[in-house]
Amino acid sequence: MNKSNHFEELSSTYSEEIDDLVSDSEGKSVLTARLKEKRKELDALLQMIEFAPEMVAPVFFDAFTFTNPALIVSAIACEPDDGDFPTWDSIASSLSLAEWAKPMVQKVLAAAGGDQFMVATAAIEYLRCHSKTAPVAAKERDEFDRQKDEDDEDGFSDLGEAGADWLSQQGFDSHTA
């Protein structure tokens, strides 16, 4: 699938945002609760759709069913500033919206930049659900985390050692109070 630079970057930051929402600091799954909270905060989040769309887009997590993926795929190849970037009206017939999402779409479309945001959100949701590269990135991230855990069981000793080394290089004894 040919992705424009815009969608390459946006899908990456969106994926990171979703990853951040998945679990709490104790590793417990909290995605459903966090998505519910974001959806309640839509009015406040609307001011961010132009400069941080990845922070707002999760309100539409799992809101779309793609009935004509070709239109979405063609949008993914476009840059938003190009004259060929589709409008929401031109792609809306290529997808179905969950009932709970319909009132939120109307709010977003009424906001400045809402049309472009909705197209982009549908596209990154399509990429999240249908991209063949997403599992590879997750696998690589899991391998990185596993290696980090093997190298440093508590996650802090390397930082402490680095700090002690730096202090000693500066002429301080890192073991004094």
Side-chain angles (χ1 to χ4, degrees), residues 109-169:
L109 290 174
D115 188 85
Q116 184 175 318
F117 171 81
M118 285 310 307
V119 173
T121 299
I124 60 176
E125 266 293 290
Y126 178 84
L127 288 169
R128 181 186 65 81
C129 295
H130 297 93
S131 176
K132 291 180 174 86
T133 59
V136 172
K139 181 180 176 187
E140 289 171 355
R141 187 174 52 253
D142 290 346
E143 180 60 32
F144 172 80
D145 290 344
R146 189 174 19 264
Q147 185 63 42
K148 181 179 171 287
D149 290 344
E150 289 171 7
D151 292 344
D152 182 0
E153 287 184 16
D154 65 7
F156 294 104
S157 64
D158 288 344
L159 183 59
E161 290 171 18
D165 288 347
W166 183 85
L167 283 171
S168 68
Q169 289 171 358

Side-chain angles (χ1 to χ4, degrees), residues 50-112:
E50 293 189 67
F51 67 88
E54 72 280 359
M55 300 292 288
V56 185
V59 301
F60 294 104
F61 186 89
D62 279 345
F64 305 102
T65 302
F66 301 94
T67 56
N68 183 1
L71 288 175
I72 297 295
V73 170
S74 67
I76 292 167
C78 298
E79 292 288 340
D81 297 334
D82 292 347
D84 61 346
F85 195 76
T87 63
W88 176 251
D89 287 341
S90 70
I91 69 157
S93 64
S94 70
L95 52 88
S96 301
L97 276 170
E99 284 300 316
W100 57 263
K102 289 178 180 179
M104 292 191 307
V105 168
Q106 294 310 311
K107 279 186 180 183
V108 171
L109 290 174

Side-chain angles (χ1 to χ4, degrees), residues 5-21:
N5 290 336
H6 173 74
F7 283 109
E8 192 71 46
E9 183 179 324
L10 185 57
S11 64
S12 175
T13 57
Y14 179 65
S15 179
E16 291 168 4
E17 177 66 13
I18 295 299
D19 286 349
D20 287 346
L21 296 173

